[in-house]
Amino acid sequence: MHQLIACPYNGTFLIARPGCKGGMRIPRTLYEELTSTAESSSPLPVWLLDHARTAWDVDLAGAVMRDAVLVRPETRLGYGRATYEINKGCNFNCEHCYLAERKFEGLPWPDKVRLLRLLRDAGVLWLQFTGGEPLIDRDFVDAYALAHRSGMLIEILTNGSRLHRPEIIDLLHDLPPHKVTISLYGATPDSFDSLTRRPGAFKLVEKGLVAAREAGIALELALIITRHNAHELDAMRALVERYGAGRQEYGTISRTYTGTPEPLAAQAPGFLDKTSVFKGCPAGHTFFHVDPHGLATMCKVGRENPIDLMTEGLDGLVRLPGIADAQMLRTGGCGGCRLSGTCRVCRPLAKAYQEAKAPLNTYCQHGSEETQ
């Protein structure tokens, strides 16, 4: 199994190590040097050995190129990142979920293999497995292993309820992810289980956190702030410290991506995210999303005019930048807003809120209609 990945990325060339932060940007000349010896028994060049010691404290002296370094070829497409919604099924029933329906369905295994190879051939280096709950998919272990062995750096976005299982822990120990991001819905069983509407959910997630910490798996906790748990925010932050994880906090509750308002009832007053001004997004240009059926869109929210990768292949992705640009135009309810230059919400997200007839203060951080 490869120790390092050399990969084109957004017009540059990177050296990365699975499961580790940090990397190295190299010029084309060094990338071509690695390409020329990628399948050989040549030793690693001195400059690469030195960087591996400095960046990751790993000694690869004596290793040969074909075993230690996976050199990914240049592709005609510049997509460096993607998210793969492997299914929409979930073993939780969260009140705030942005999925209108949580049907457990998706591609059969042979088509998942084809899809993951398409992602590789599109140039994807960073891949996020999401859902639904990805770990309940019957093909997750095999899909993860294939993506990892194809030279992708993987993030798993999970509710953590299956993370403690030996087959999952062993997989992530042997094939390290870039990180595992676990959604944290409270600091006690009362708040956590109330939001997820799954008795015992909190205990399952704690088991997963313990198992991942003991296995040395990189964790990040996404603190989801709602009316059920806002009073426990300090305790949720303390859990992050206990498990040695990174953290992100999210207070803005999204409507469903189909534009219905039910999840908004979970919003905790006063916790609208104070995010930065929206100045554009690479969605559809250097990044894309794929749903359980192989339909590619600019992102999880902007799902208009999907491209069927299973019928069109990589040729379909050529159309995606134009589709994304059309969805980014500030039309409809945002047209003419005098404050659009300092808006913190992208157009596809704002459109879904407007279709849901959501109160302005649940998504527009300018506050009220009177200010527009």
Side-chain angles (χ1 to χ4, degrees), residues 145-180:
L146 177 59
H148 195 284
R149 291 179 176 126
S150 297
M152 299 184 201
L153 303 174
I154 302 172
E155 177 186 8
I156 305 169
L157 193 60
T158 175
N159 64 28
S161 63
R162 299 288 183 95
L163 188 57
H164 66 280
R165 295 194 170 192
E167 68 272 18
I168 299 296
I169 291 295
D170 290 347
L171 172 74
L172 302 184
H173 180 269
D174 294 342
L175 303 177
H178 186 66
K179 66 178 175 181
V180 177

Side-chain angles (χ1 to χ4, degrees), residues 98 100 254-264 300-305 327 329 331-334 345-360 362-363:
Y98 70 88
S254 175
R255 71 299 150 271
T256 69
Y257 72 76
T258 55
T260 57
E262 294 84 2
L264 299 178
K300 298 174 187 177
V301 177
R303 301 198 187 211
E304 295 178 12
N305 301 313
Q327 290 180 77
L329 295 175
T331 58
C334 288
V345 181
C346 74
R347 177 61 201 139
L349 185 59
K351 180 180 179 182
Y353 276 116
Q354 290 155 1
E355 289 176 347
K357 297 182 171 31
L360 194 63
T362 62
Y363 68 95

Side-chain angles (χ1 to χ4, degrees), residues 13-240:
F13 301 92
L14 301 180
I15 304 290
R17 177 170 167 79
C20 296
K21 294 182 179 180
M24 178 183 184
R25 186 172 294 172
I26 60 173
R28 175 178 285 277
T29 53
L30 293 186
Y31 170 76
E32 291 176 346
E33 176 187 343
L34 296 178
T35 300
S36 67
T37 59
E39 299 302 322
S40 74
S41 58
S42 300
L44 277 61
V46 172
W47 60 264
L48 187 54
L49 292 173
D50 290 343
H51 179 77
R53 292 190 192 98
T54 301
W56 304 299
D57 193 27
V58 58
D59 186 358
L60 296 177
V64 299
M65 281 293 299
R66 66 167 173 257
D67 296 331
V69 184
L70 175 61
V71 182
R72 294 185 52 183
E74 292 187 83
T75 70
R76 62 189 175 95
L77 296 169
Y79 288 104
R81 296 190 299 124
T83 55
Y84 176 26
E85 188 178 53
I86 194 168
N87 64 57
K88 295 179 183 177
C90 189
N91 54 337
F92 288 0
N93 183 27
C94 296
E95 178 183 335
H96 70 289
C97 186
Y98 70 88
L99 294 174
E101 297 182 63
R102 290 180 283 276
K103 294 182 180 179
F104 187 90
E105 57 187 17
L107 297 170
W109 173 241
D111 285 341
K112 284 188 175 84
V113 171
R114 183 173 168 230
L115 176 61
L116 288 167
R117 287 175 175 162
L118 286 170
L119 297 182
R120 175 200 63 191
D121 294 344
V124 172
L125 175 60
W126 272 275
L127 177 65
Q128 182 191 85
F129 277 97
T130 183
E133 171 47 46
L135 298 191
I136 69 173
D137 192 274
R138 62 182 177 274
D139 294 322
F140 171 77
V141 169
D142 291 333
Y144 178 95
L146 177 59
H148 195 284
R149 291 179 176 126
S150 297
M152 299 184 201
L153 303 174
I154 302 172
E155 177 186 8
I156 305 169
L157 193 60
T158 175
N159 64 28
S161 63
R162 299 288 183 95
L163 188 57
H164 66 280
R165 295 194 170 192
E167 68 272 18
I168 299 296
I169 291 295
D170 290 347
L171 172 74
L172 302 184
H173 180 269
D174 294 342
L175 303 177
H178 186 66
K179 66 178 175 181
V180 177
T181 298
I182 301 172
S183 298
L184 190 65
Y185 300 125
T188 63
D190 285 346
S191 62
F192 201 106
D193 296 0
S194 174
L195 180 63
T196 61
R197 297 186 285 209
R198 166 72 189 271
F202 183 71
K203 290 184 178 180
L204 284 174
V205 174
E206 278 203 310
K207 286 180 66 176
L209 290 170
V210 170
R213 180 182 60 187
E214 291 177 351
I217 295 166
L219 292 177
E220 182 170 288
L221 296 187
L223 277 56
I224 311 300
I225 306 166
T226 73
R227 64 184 179 90
H228 295 268
N229 62 31
H231 63 287
E232 295 180 346
L233 183 54
D234 286 342
M236 292 166 70
R237 291 167 177 162
L239 277 175
V240 175

Side-chain angles (χ1 to χ4, degrees), residues 258-274:
T258 55
T260 57
E262 294 84 2
L264 299 178
Q267 176 75 51
F271 283 94
L272 192 67
D273 289 344
K274 301 296 188 270

